[in-house]
Each structure stands twice: as structure tokens, then as C-alpha cells.
Amino acid sequence: MWLALVKKEWQESTFRFLVCLALLTIVYVFIYTMMATATPLVVFIGVVVVLLHVFYLFLTLLASLIKEWKEHTSHLWMNLPVPGWKLLSAKVAIGFSQFMILIIYGMVAVDIMLQKLINLSFAGSGIDYTESLNIGLNLYRELSPWIVLMISQGALQLGLAALFIFVFSKVIRPFGWLIAIIITFAANHLLSAVKNTEGYQTITQWVPLLDGQQVHEKVAIHLLQPVEAELNEQIIQTIYLGQVVAEVLFILVVFWMITWLFDQKAEL
Amino acid sequence: MGLKFDHNRPIYIQLMEYLYGQICRSEMKPGEKLPSVRELAVKVGVNPNTVSRTYMEMERTHIVVTKRGQGTFVTEDAKTIQELRKTIADQQIDDFIVMMNQVGLSNEEISQLMLEKLKKRREEKE
Amino acid sequence: MTPPLIKLNQVSKKYLNQTALTNITFQLTKSGIYGVIGPNGSGKTTLLKIMAGLLRSSKGTVEIMEKPVTRLSSQHIAFLSEADSLYSFQTVNQMVDFCHNVMPDFSKDKALNMIQSLNIEKDKKIKHLSKGNRARVKIVLTLSRQVPVLLMDEPLSGLDPLVREDILRMIVMNVDVEEQILVLSTHEVSEVEPFLDHVIFMKNGTCLLEKSVEQLREEKGQSVVEAMREVLS
């Protein structure tokens, strides 16, 4: 049952996904060819593009849901004798799979760019950055699963926000979406406050997966100016299994609440 | 698809009249199987419930017999069909006489007119 | 007495600044075909969507099989929308498979037989079908669901006579009038009149009369069209 829904979502979103893939390819090729002339800026753009992937799930879920309503297929979709979590999770599953393909594609693209950058700096005159670039590339490869994990987490949260905003716009009319956005921001604010409490930290800080201190040292020693290093210390923190579990639980609870709203309160 | 119905009268009665006509004219023979409820509903363009009701009424007057698991059949009893013919004829003639009376014809005049009409028809046929 | 399959109690529906339904109360206990009849804008569509659990009533309660109706009541209800509600990117075959896989109550054999008898090309995408064939496929999918309640919003409107005839024939052939309730809304009464067991007249968001059609003819010697004129005028 669920797989049939997934298949339908795949069919529905293929075109959108392929357009994204094509656009990204154009961007990557553009960066790759422009690297020789405007190096730092262009690589920076590449990194930003990868970070922008965090919005993919949000946008594709909204697009899919809006289309469902715009083309009146919602009349059939809402009447399917299937619990809401299956309907919605099918959309999330497809969106998230496409996101994973795109993000891995992006990570590989950045990897290739970094390699070319090393080659370029060999050939280029002036100061030789090769050594630090090599370290940077290794570090990038070492950390890439964590980068993907972080972006995925952000993408999932934004994806949930998209579901919530859309479903709520069908629960309260008009301006349900506006209320939902406000609730989302408020909840987010509240959540980060909770995360900063000692209680939350003691509960979740078990089984460290990635030692932030080590990473910080590696990055700081080889690549950064002192000022940047200080900033960096705040960004790169130790990741605990407990935190990952807490995040997953949080996402599941929010998802369950959204499906409840969808099944009980949402209107055509 | 469909028979033309007078929507002011119950459709099940009109359908019954239609079927009675077929049985009396022997278009449907004694012992013949009637179409299933759904078949007839599709054929004449009515709700199957209406056909069921028609069959039920016809069964009540013993014109048709429902055999479990086999369907509905026209009675094989010639006497019942003869009676049906008689009942319909009686009813029609009564109605006819009332109507003629209403336009001011006496019973003698009606009878006279009928005989003349039938004679004329016979001559036309020959 | 059998409990009512569908029970509406003082149901009202307000949109932002207009009232769509006011104080509607009725119970549908018997199986058979019900016609919701009334002019455009009388609230027929809103009524059907509320019965399907796709809209919430502003006031009052709606129950299906003795439970408050929600979207999840779709396990008992097949809703046919007036809109083109099929996934246009699917082929007819894919659509049938999708319904078969997603709806536990869906009879694939029934659907394929109907499509066969209607001569619809199974490999064509929905978006490439004619309007009439899209309407036919839509009806096929609804009628292939073995559920106690079928709700059809304007199944005939905007279609040419041949398609309408096909649709009515499919309804008669496939609805089990002794087990299922079919509620269909329409503003073209005369065409569906011989198919109805009951009528529900609607005007300005209120329900004016709920009656058996044959009773109407027997007791008042009225056709549905005449009764409608009397009630709605």
C-alpha cells in the first residue's frame, strides 16, 4: 500500500527533480570551468549551493501539496482509505530520497572542485597553498558524512515545517499558513532554549560520535586565522548519539501531530 | 436504454403493466425466465429496487414465481394468466365506461358505438 | 430497526462570510439511491463533502456508521468529485493498479471489466483521454470500491448524452441497491428521476424535503420534477 503511494509521488515529482538536477549540473559545470579565473569566490558559491540543499525538501513538499490541491487530485487523495501518516510519509520519503541524491551529488561536485583547486595551485604562481588544501580536502572527506547529517537534519526539520504550514492552512482558513509560520518560529525558539538547558544536555550527551574539539583543532591549526578559529569553536561541537536520538524522536512526535491534524481537522 | 415512463405514477406499477402486457400477449411464455433484476433495470433504465418491487407485486398475484437460486419465472398455470387477462380487461373496460359516461354517452350508446367500431375494423382487415 | 448509516444533526457550515448550509438534519437508514436535488449554489456540494468527512461542519454533528465522520471515514465512503480529480500523469492501467494497491476495498476485476466494456484505452495517460472518458474512468474507480456509502457530486453535469447514459447504466449495473447507499447530487432531475429511490431537496443551504420517490408518486401523484417545483418555488 505504502509503496504504491511512494510510486505515485515519484511519478508526480520526477520532472521537478530532474529540473533541479539539471540546474545544479549547470551550476557545478559553470563553477568548474570558471575556477581558473575567479577561484575563491566561485568555490565559495559551490559550498553555498550545497548548503542551499537544506531547502529542497521544504520546497518540493510544498510544491507537491499545492499541486495536489490546485489540480483537484486532493479530492481523490484525501478520500483514500489510508491513514494520514502513510499519505504524508510517502511524500516525505520521495522528497528526502531526492534530497539525498542531490546532496551526495553536490558533495561529490565540491570534492572534484577541491581536487581541481589543488591542481590549479600547483600550476599557479605565487604562494603554494597545496599543503593546506590537501589537508582541507582530507578533512572535507573525513567530515562529509557529518556535513550530510547536519544538512539532512535541517532539511527534515524544514520539511516538517512545510507539512505543518500546509496542513494548518487547510485547518484554519484563511491565514492558517500565517499562524502556522508564527507557531513554527515560536516553537523553534522554544526548542533552542530547551536545548541550551543543562537538563537537556545531560540527558542527551551520551556516546560521543564526533569529537568537536579534535575537529576544531585540525581546522584551526591548518586553515584559519585566530579570530575565525574562535568563531569556529562555537560552530563545531561534539555530536552525541543521544542528540541524534533526541532529534529523531522530536521529528517523529511532530510528524505524528501533523498527521493527526491532517486526519481529524484538515479540510479539502 | 429505457422505457418512457409517466413520472406522475409509481414506476413499479408502470413496469408491472408493461410486463403483464408481454405475458398476456404471450411475448413472454408460461414458464419463461424473466430477466434478472439488474438486467431489467439496465434495459428499461430504472433503479433495481423498482424492479424488485415490481417482481414482488407480480409474485403476490401469482403471475410469476421466484425459484430460489434460479430466478423469477412466468407462471406455468394457464388459468392464472387467463385470469390476469380478464382482470386487466375488466379494469380497462370499467375505466372506459366511466370515461364515456363522463362525456355524456349512455351505456346503450357505448355498446352501439363499440359494435360499429369493431365491425369497421374487421372490414378494414379483410 | 437498522441504525442509520448516515446521520446529520443540525449541521451548519459557514465559510468566512457566507453560509453554505443551515441546520440540516436527516438520517439515511435504507440502502438505495438518493438524489440531492437543488439549483446551483444551494449547498449540494458542501453537503456531500461534509458527509464524506472532507469538510468539517461549523455546527452540528455528522455520523457515518455511528461514528463521527472524519477524513478517515473514507474507509466506508467513496467520494466522486465533480472536478477532474484523477492523477493526469498516470495511465488508466496505472491508475487502476494504484487504486487496487491503496484501497483494500477496491475490486480490480470489476474496474477492468468496466473499462473493457467502455472501450477505453488502458495504456493512455489520463491527461490524454477525452473529457467524457475521464468522467467514465472516474465513475469506474468509484463504483469499483466495495464500500457501504458512495457519494457522487454532480456525476452527470457538463457531459454529453452518450456519456451520461453510460454513467447511469454503470451505476445501475454496479451499485448494490440492497447493501449500499448511493447519494448523488444533480441539478438535472428529469434524467435521473427513474433511478432514484429517495430525494432530498435543497435550497439556499437548507434541506426542504426528504422523501421516497415512489411515495411521492403514490401519495401525491407527483413526479420529482413537479415536487421540486412545488418545494423549491
Side-chain angles (χ1 to χ4, degrees), chain B residues 5 7 9-12 41 44-51 53, chain C residues 30-38 44 150 152 154-156 168 171-172 175 177 180-202 209-218 222-228:
Chain B
F5 291 104
H7 291 310
R9 292 172 57 223
I11 290 175
Y12 82 95
V44 299
V46 298
N47 184 309
N49 275 331
T50 310
V51 179
R53 181 142 182 218
Chain C
K30 287 195 195 116
S31 62
I33 303 180
Y34 292 75
V36 177
I37 289 161
K44 301 188 295 290
L150 303 166
M152 299 184 176
E154 295 279 1
L156 303 176
L168 285 171
I171 288 176
V172 173
V175 174
V177 288
Q180 292 177 303
I181 282 189
L182 164 63
V183 184
L184 59 86
S185 70
T186 182
H187 59 272
E188 297 153 296
V189 195
S190 50
E191 203 166 4
V192 296
E193 168 145 19
F195 299 95
L196 300 180
D197 290 305
H198 307 267
V199 278
I200 299 167
F201 288 119
M202 301 263 317
L209 178 70
E210 197 258 304
K211 212 164 172 60
S212 146
V213 173
E214 293 281 59
Q215 223 176 333
L216 213 58
R217 297 187 186 111
E218 242 161 334
Q222 267 182 332
S223 69
V224 174
V225 178
E226 283 170 352
M228 177 181 77

Side-chain angles (χ1 to χ4, degrees), chain C residues 94-107:
Chain C
Q94 286 172 338
M95 191 84 227
V96 170
D97 280 338
F98 174 72
C99 289
H100 173 64
N101 288 327
V102 170
M103 305 167 173
D105 49 54
F106 189 83
S107 164

